[in-house]
Structure formats: C-alpha cells, structure tokens
Amino acid sequence: MDNASEETYDAVVVGGGAAGLSGALTLVRARRSVLVVDSGSPRNAPAAQMHGYLGHDGESPAELLAKGRAEVSGYGGVIRRGTAIAADRLPEGDFRVRCDDGSTVRARRLLVATGLVDELPDVPGLAERWGRDVLHCPYCHGWEVGRQRIAVLADGPLALHQAQLWHQWTGRTVLLAHGWTPGDEDRELLAALGIEVVDGKVSGLTVEDDRLTGVTLADGAAVACAALVVAPRFTARAGVLTSLGLPSVAVERDGRVLGTCVASDPETGATALPGVWLAGNVTAPMEKVVGAAAQGVRAAAALNADLVEEQARRALDHHRAAGTDGTPGPVPGR
C-alpha cells in the first residue's frame, strides 16, 4: 500500500482473539474507527471447547471468535486477515503498522493482543494431542478428564504443584519423573496424597481409536493414563512490540522461568510507550479466555479515554487560537 494513501484509524487492534475482539468491540461502540489485524491463529485453536467463561461454557473457541468478529463488524469495525510484523512510531505521534503482505495502515493508537505460543516438551506424538488429551490447565480441561488416571510429565519442580492441583479433579494421579526427580521430602508428600511416582524418561505416547491410552518409557515400560499434563514454555508473540522498543521479559515462578511476556500496567494495559496498550496472553501468560476478554475491555476503555483527553486538549488549543469572536470552528482530530 502506498503510504500517501494509507488508511488511518483511531485504533488498530493487532490480534483477533478474545482479548483483541473484546477491545475492538468496546472501541467501536465508543464510535471509534477500528481495524483489527488478525493472523487467524489463536492459541486455543486445538481445543474443541473452552470452559469457565460464564454464558459460553462448552462453546468452541472458533464459535466465540466468529460471533465476536460479527459483532465488531456490525458496529462498523473492520476485520482484516493478515499478520502484523512490525510498527513504527511516526514523528507526529501516530503509528504505522506493517503487515507481511507489504501493506501498511496508520493508527492514532495501538492495542496489541497477539497472545503467545505454547512451546511443548520434545516428546514424539505429544504436539498432535495438544489441547485434546495433552493438557496443562485443570480449570480449562479438568472436569472433562476428571476421575480418570492422569499423568503429569515432570520436567521441573513446578510438576510437584501440578500433580497436587490435578489430583483435585481425579484422585488418580501419577507423576512421571521425566526430566526432574523429586527428592525424598517431595516423594513423602506425594505418597501421602496417594500420587504414584514413576521414574524414567518418556519416549512416546500410546493412542487407540484416537484417544490417549498411556505413555511409553525409554526402557520399554508402559504407563496407562487417559490424559497427560505438561508444562509448556509460554513465549509471547511480541514482534510488533519489540519493533517499537518494548522488549519481552522473563516470566518466573518459584525460581523457574515459565516463558516471556511484555510488561504493561495490570489495570489498564498501558505500556511504557505512550499510545500502546496490551491485553491478553502477550502480557498475562496465565490468563484464561474470560480474563483475556476482560483485559481487552479495560485496555480499550483506557485507550479511548486517552483519545478523549487528546481531543479536548486540541479543542482548547484551537479555541484559544481562534480568539474571542465566539467561533472556534470545527473540533480538530475527528
């Protein structure tokens, strides 16, 4: 797209998941011109259902997003399929967003909700079952696989917490000491809870009739389970943000690096760069769908308030420059 004729929006929302679409809906209802640039690759695409979202429990993620796109479009928002790869801060304060097809678009403000990528443990067959019976969040999937035998792939100390947590849903939990071996005290705790510990590297998964039935160990032993719990590394999709000088930072828990995110104000989503807000997993890796949607609403409200304040300042400057004849003229910035 020729920059001389590029479109300009009050806000460009980068990312069309629950966070981005919720933010876009808030902005278009505030009568803002809004473009959503959506790569079409939401994090939860492998999951058939989502849970814990009041009024939408059991709905497919794809159905939720289809409804969201229709709602945003119904208020005049524009949804464009594509991948934003970078953005530039222009001298006058606006932003130019560059997409992978070579097109550009101009925005007065940015709301980035690009999410994250789950980097899974390197076990053959695991990625193909991700979001189905290879899982990580009990609040998302625990009810569906509960009361069955669940194995936790231990590749770090966090597995101890995972085993205890998932035990709430099943009572039939086994910890696979794949890359982390619990010490004596941890083993005593697990034994007290009735959680079995199996030593040995996991070498693969066993599947029958498209259902997980267990895992195999490097020594050939088999361990039966109906679901396998893993701890992925959460890596923020931060390309647009790093191009603006907003770096990814490590996310740590109990001394273990869980992944990366880009920092923002936890209440408003505001970043260190004026004019840029964040929502969803790109800034809050542990957030679920309903929380990401709420973040999108809060960030959009803060973004709109910032535009309102800018418009008021411009109106005042214009009014003062017009003198005292009582005819300030049209309000700039609309």
Side-chain angles (χ1 to χ4, degrees):
M1 181 183 296
D2 184 353
N3 288 344
S5 60
E6 67 185 349
E7 300 163 277
T8 300
Y9 294 86
D10 289 330
V12 168
V13 179
V14 183
L21 289 174
S22 294
L25 182 61
T26 301
L27 289 165
V28 291
R29 285 181 49 82
R31 301 188 180 277
R32 295 295 180 188
S33 59
V34 177
L35 170 70
V36 178
V37 180
D38 179 21
S39 68
S41 54
R43 176 192 181 194
N44 60 357
Q49 297 178 327
M50 61 180 190
H51 296 281
Y53 195 154
L54 187 64
H56 298 279
D57 190 72
E59 188 171 280
S60 77
E63 184 179 357
L64 177 74
L65 298 186
K67 289 179 179 178
R69 288 190 293 269
E71 290 170 353
V72 171
S73 299
Y75 285 101
V78 179
I79 311 291
R80 181 178 300 171
R81 180 58 61 88
T83 301
I85 57 174
D88 306 300
R89 183 72 180 267
L90 302 176
E92 59 272 32
D94 287 358
F95 299 89
R96 175 171 292 123
V97 179
R98 293 179 274 140
C99 296
D100 59 350
D101 62 358
S103 66
T104 63
V105 65
R106 187 168 173 141
R108 296 172 64 194
R109 301 291 188 273
L110 290 180
L111 172 53
V112 179
T114 43
L116 60 79
V117 174
D118 293 295
E119 297 182 2
L120 302 175
D122 185 16
V123 174
L126 188 148
E128 290 78 8
R129 311 298 306 175
W130 176 238
R132 302 166 65 189
D133 38 33
V134 173
L135 311 166
H136 85 285
C137 175
Y139 299 103
C140 300
H141 304 286
W143 178 271
E144 284 63 44
V145 298
R147 302 183 182 231
Q148 301 180 81
R149 184 170 164 88
I150 296 175
V152 177
L153 187 74
D155 60 355
L158 182 61
L160 182 65
H161 169 73
Q162 285 182 301
Q164 294 175 70
L165 188 62
W166 278 87
H167 201 59
Q168 166 65 26
W169 276 263
T170 175
R172 300 170 61 194
T173 308
V174 55
L175 186 143
L176 306 171
H178 172 72
W180 173 77
T181 301
D184 292 342
E185 187 173 336
D186 293 333
R187 286 178 183 266
E188 184 180 13
L189 173 61
L190 292 168
L193 293 171
I195 298 174
E196 180 185 358
V197 177
V198 175
D199 294 303
K201 282 274 189 179
V202 174
S203 59
L205 278 56
T206 56
V207 178
E208 296 178 9
D209 297 325
D210 199 29
R211 294 176 65 89
L212 180 70
T213 59
V215 301
T216 55
L217 304 182
D219 63 3
V223 180
C225 64
L228 178 64
V229 175
V230 301
R233 178 182 171 87
F234 307 132
T235 301
R237 292 172 171 164
V240 169
L241 297 168
T242 55
S243 72
L244 289 167
L246 293 168
S248 296
V249 297
V251 177
E252 296 186 11
R253 180 173 179 175
D254 298 329
R256 181 177 184 267
V257 176
L258 301 182
T260 61
C261 73
V262 179
S264 70
D265 182 90
E267 295 298 322
T268 67
T271 68
L273 179 62
V276 180
W277 282 261
L278 307 183
N281 290 151
V282 71
T283 189
M286 307 301 289
E287 197 61 85
K288 293 178 284 296
V289 176
V290 63
Q295 285 189 333
V297 172
R298 291 196 298 269
L303 186 158
N304 182 64
D306 190 58
L307 285 171
V308 167
E309 292 173 4
E310 179 186 71
Q311 180 185 336
R313 290 192 300 269
R314 289 183 177 179
L316 181 59
D317 291 343
H318 187 71
H319 178 79
R320 288 172 174 171
T324 58
D325 61 2
T327 56
V331 176
R334 293 291 291 177

